[in-house]
Amino acid sequence: MNKTAIVTGASRGIGAAIARRLAKEGYHVAINCVSRELADTEGAEVAAQCRALGADARCYVWNVADFEACGEAVKQIKADLGSIDVLVNNAGITRDGLLARMGEEAFDAVIAVNLKGVFNMCRHVSGVMMRQRSGRVINISSVSGLYGNPGQANYAAAKAGIVGLTLTMAKELGPRGITANAIAPGFVNTAMTEVLPENVKEEMLKAVPLGRMAQPEEIAGVAAFLASEDAAYVNGQVIAVDGGMMI
């Protein structure tokens, strides 16, 4: 029987790459989109790409910041696809700004999606996995959460919170056969970084020994490893995929 993976924020970028990679590895994939518009456009395209790889891939619309909506989505996915074996918490937003000028709304919005959204999904999926006595939870953090980043007090706080949540889950759920790990990407070539001016990109890359950004597929490869049987004894780890930026 094929296993099922939920990937949040999977309509583009890292999430889309992870969805495609897990489909290639034989998983059925539940693709989370925050809006019907995204589900009908970019999300539908990702689902089609996953189906071309042999997966049963479906788009579901819900906001991970909504606790009840997460619960309903998990129930529906379980009913549709039979099990939930892998949860990849990738959904995230940015509202960058210097701390001295950051409004409460910008801080709360990022925490609600990037941190509470991870809690919401883990809270509802953990019950399913505990009953199965197996599962993989993969949370997408960031090097910003490990080392901080000027202009991203909200984002860095949320991503640091994900690390603490992941380590706690690893201890609580490990005895039930469930692993919890985090990936901390550095600079990744996505729509978020494409809009940066070239001089800004060049300055950023000076800090990366490999001299380039990661491709989303390189993050997806690590996620696929953590979801695999090869990673059955990997638990409570935070894997930085940053080209050596933080050496």
Side-chain angles (χ1 to χ4, degrees), residues 10-12 15-17 19-21 23-24 27-33 38-60:
S11 63
R12 59 180 67 163
R20 289 190 294 265
R21 179 60 185 268
K24 184 179 179 181
Y27 290 88
H28 296 321
V29 185
I31 295 166
N32 157 253
C33 300
L38 269 180
D40 290 342
T41 53
E42 293 169 88
E45 183 178 353
V46 175
Q49 292 166 344
C50 291
R51 286 193 291 270
L53 293 167
D56 183 349
R58 311 184 191 189
C59 287
Y60 296 84

Side-chain angles (χ1 to χ4, degrees), residues 33-121:
C33 300
V34 72
S35 69
R36 174 51 57 188
E37 180 183 3
L38 269 180
D40 290 342
T41 53
E42 293 169 88
E45 183 178 353
V46 175
Q49 292 166 344
C50 291
R51 286 193 291 270
L53 293 167
D56 183 349
R58 311 184 191 189
C59 287
Y60 296 84
V61 178
W62 80 93
N63 184 346
V64 297
D66 184 328
F67 183 82
E68 297 300 331
C70 289
E72 290 304 313
V74 168
K75 287 179 186 177
Q76 189 62 56
I77 292 165
K78 176 74 165 57
D80 290 345
L81 298 175
S83 66
I84 299 173
D85 304 282
V86 177
L87 169 63
V88 182
N89 284 303
N90 168 76
I93 62 171
T94 56
R95 297 288 188 273
D96 293 352
L98 294 174
L99 178 63
R101 300 174 184 172
M102 184 175 291
E104 181 181 16
E105 183 180 355
F107 188 88
D108 289 349
V110 170
I111 295 297
V113 174
N114 297 18
L115 180 55
K116 186 170 183 289
V118 176
F119 162 76
N120 290 344
M121 290 303 300

